[in-house]
C-alpha cells in the first residue's frame, strides 16, 4: 500500500531547497506529484493541461516537416513528453538548471519518466537556460550556433513573476531577440504563464516576431471545484 505522503527527493540548490513529494489527493483520490522550492509550490501533476498545450500549440504553428525542439525547464516532464508525441520531432533538448530534477527523472521517481529518458531523440542538458541564451553558448554544446525550429519555455510563473531576478531579461525586447536568433526562419517560440495574458508582453512579442498570440487554456480545478486557466504565448519568426 502506498503511503498517503512521501518525500521522494530533496536537495539544496543555488536557488534554495527543492523537493519532490508524492501524496494522496483526497478530492480526487489520486496520487499527486509536486515539486516545491522551499515552501513555494512550483508544479503539480494535478495541473498539467497548459504545460501539455504549450507543446501542442507551439508545434501546431510549425510547417509539416521534421523539426528540432528545445524545452527550457524539465519540471515534471509533461511539456517535454508531449513534444515527443509529435512524430515530426527528430530531436529534443531539454535544458534544466537543477541537477536533482534531472536525477529524479533518470531514477524514474516520476510516472512515465522512462518515456522521456529512453527516447533516443532526447537530450537532458544540465544548464541555465537564460545564461546559455544570454552568453551565446546556445543549447547544443557540440554545435555552437545551432538553431532550432521551436523553443518552448516553462520555468517562471509569468513574464513579470520570475523565480530568479536573473531571468527577467528574457522578457525584454533584447531577450526575445536572443530567442529569435536561435530560431530558424519560420521557427516558433512558446511560453507558459500562470497569469492572464499581458498586453505589454504581447506587444513586445509582436515587435520581435512576425506573429504572436496569447492562448488562454482553461482546465478543471478539483481544489476549487471550478475552473482555472493559464496562458500560452506562441510567437512565430518570419519565414
Amino acid at each position: 500500500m502506498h503511503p498517503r505522503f512521501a518525500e521522494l527527493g530533496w536537495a539544496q540548490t543555488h536557488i534554495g531547497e527543492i523537493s519532490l513529494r508524492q501524496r494522496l489527493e483526497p478530492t480526487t483520490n489520486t496520487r499527486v506529484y509536486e515539486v516545491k522550492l522551499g515552501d513555494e509550490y512550483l508544479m503539480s501533476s494535478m495541473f498539467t493541461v497548459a504545460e501539455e498545450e504549450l507543446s501542442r500549440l507551439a508545434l501546431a504553428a510549425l510547417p509539416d516537416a521534421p523539426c528540432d525542439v528545445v524545452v527550457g525547464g524539465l519540471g515534471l516532464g509533461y511539456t517535454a513528453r508531449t513534444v515527443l508525441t509529435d512524430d515530426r520531432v527528430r530531436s529534443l533538448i531539454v535544458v534544466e538548471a537543477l541537477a536533482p530534477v534531472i536525477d529524479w527523472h533518470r531514477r524514474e521517481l516520476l510516472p512515465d519518466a522512462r518515456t522521456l529518458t529512453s527516447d533516443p531523440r532526447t537530450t537532458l542538458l544540465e544548464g541555465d537556460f537564460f545564461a546559455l541564451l544570454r552568453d551565446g553558448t546556445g543549447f547544443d554544446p557540440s554545435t555552437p550556433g545551432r538553431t532550432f525550429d521551436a523553443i518552448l519555455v516553462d520555468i517562471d510563473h509569468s513574464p513579470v513573476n520570475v523565480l530568479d531576478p536573473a531571468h527577467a531579461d528574457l522578457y525584454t525586447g533584447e531577450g526575445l531577440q536572443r530567442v529569435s536568433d536561435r530560431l530558424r526562419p519560420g521557427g516558433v517560440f512558446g511560453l507558459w504563464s500562470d497569469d492572464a495574458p499581458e498586453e505589454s508582453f504581447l506587444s513586445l512579442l509582436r515587435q520581435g516576431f512576425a506573429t504572436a498570440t496569447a492562448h488562454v487554456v482553461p482546465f478543471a480545478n478539483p481544489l476549487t471545484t471550478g475552473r482555472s486557466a493559464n496562458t500560452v504565448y506562441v510567437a512565430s519568426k518570419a519565414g
Side-chain angles (χ1 to χ4, degrees):
M1 179 179 294
H2 288 289
R4 293 183 63 86
F5 172 87
E7 185 173 80
L8 305 179
W10 178 94
Q12 182 69 49
T13 75
H14 69 281
I15 59 172
E17 298 176 357
I18 191 167
S19 60
L20 172 65
R21 310 168 358 140
Q22 178 201 74
R23 65 178 178 83
L24 181 66
E25 171 53 47
T27 60
T28 59
N29 197 36
T30 57
R31 290 279 151 193
V32 173
Y33 292 81
E34 298 168 327
V35 177
K36 294 185 70 179
L37 180 61
D39 293 327
E40 180 180 11
Y41 286 92
L42 288 186
M43 59 203 73
S44 168
S45 62
M46 289 186 70
F47 309 111
T48 64
V49 172
E51 283 86 345
E52 294 165 332
E53 282 300 294
L54 169 61
S55 296
R56 295 191 185 102
L57 289 167
L59 296 186
L62 288 174
D64 188 13
C67 57
D68 301 304
V69 181
V70 170
V71 169
L74 174 56
L76 295 174
Y78 286 91
T79 298
R81 288 200 302 273
T82 304
V83 166
L84 293 174
T85 64
D86 192 317
D87 292 337
R88 297 173 299 164
V89 174
R90 64 186 168 194
S91 73
L92 168 64
I93 296 175
V94 186
V95 184
E96 172 56 53
L98 303 178
V101 176
I102 295 175
D103 180 60
W104 297 339
H105 284 265
R106 287 181 171 153
R107 291 165 57 201
E108 298 182 24
L109 299 181
L110 290 155
D112 300 321
R114 180 182 287 269
T115 303
L116 183 62
T117 58
S118 66
D119 194 303
R121 295 173 292 173
T122 302
T123 299
L124 299 181
L125 175 64
E126 182 185 343
D128 182 332
F129 174 90
F130 304 89
L132 293 174
L133 187 65
R134 188 185 305 116
D135 66 18
T137 302
F139 306 119
D140 184 348
S142 66
T143 312
R146 183 183 175 190
T147 55
F148 300 87
D149 298 288
I151 297 175
L152 316 181
V153 181
D154 178 9
I155 298 175
D156 293 313
H157 296 304
S158 78
V160 297
N161 186 5
V162 297
L163 291 178
D164 187 307
H167 299 178
D169 67 340
L170 174 67
Y171 311 105
T172 64
E174 290 184 0
L176 294 174
Q177 182 60 55
R178 288 193 286 267
V179 174
S180 179
D181 290 344
R182 290 291 169 186
L183 289 171
R184 294 168 184 155
V188 171
F189 170 54
L191 176 72
W192 176 91
S193 172
D194 193 32
D195 293 346
E198 298 167 15
E199 284 303 319
S200 59
F201 182 66
L202 200 52
S203 177
L204 277 178
L205 285 173
R206 287 172 175 156
Q207 291 173 32
F209 291 85
T211 64
T213 306
H215 301 267
V216 175
V217 181
F219 53 90
N221 187 335
L223 299 182
T224 64
T225 66
R227 307 273 295 171
S228 296
N230 295 150
T231 299
V232 172
Y233 296 94
V234 177
S236 297
K237 184 174 178 177

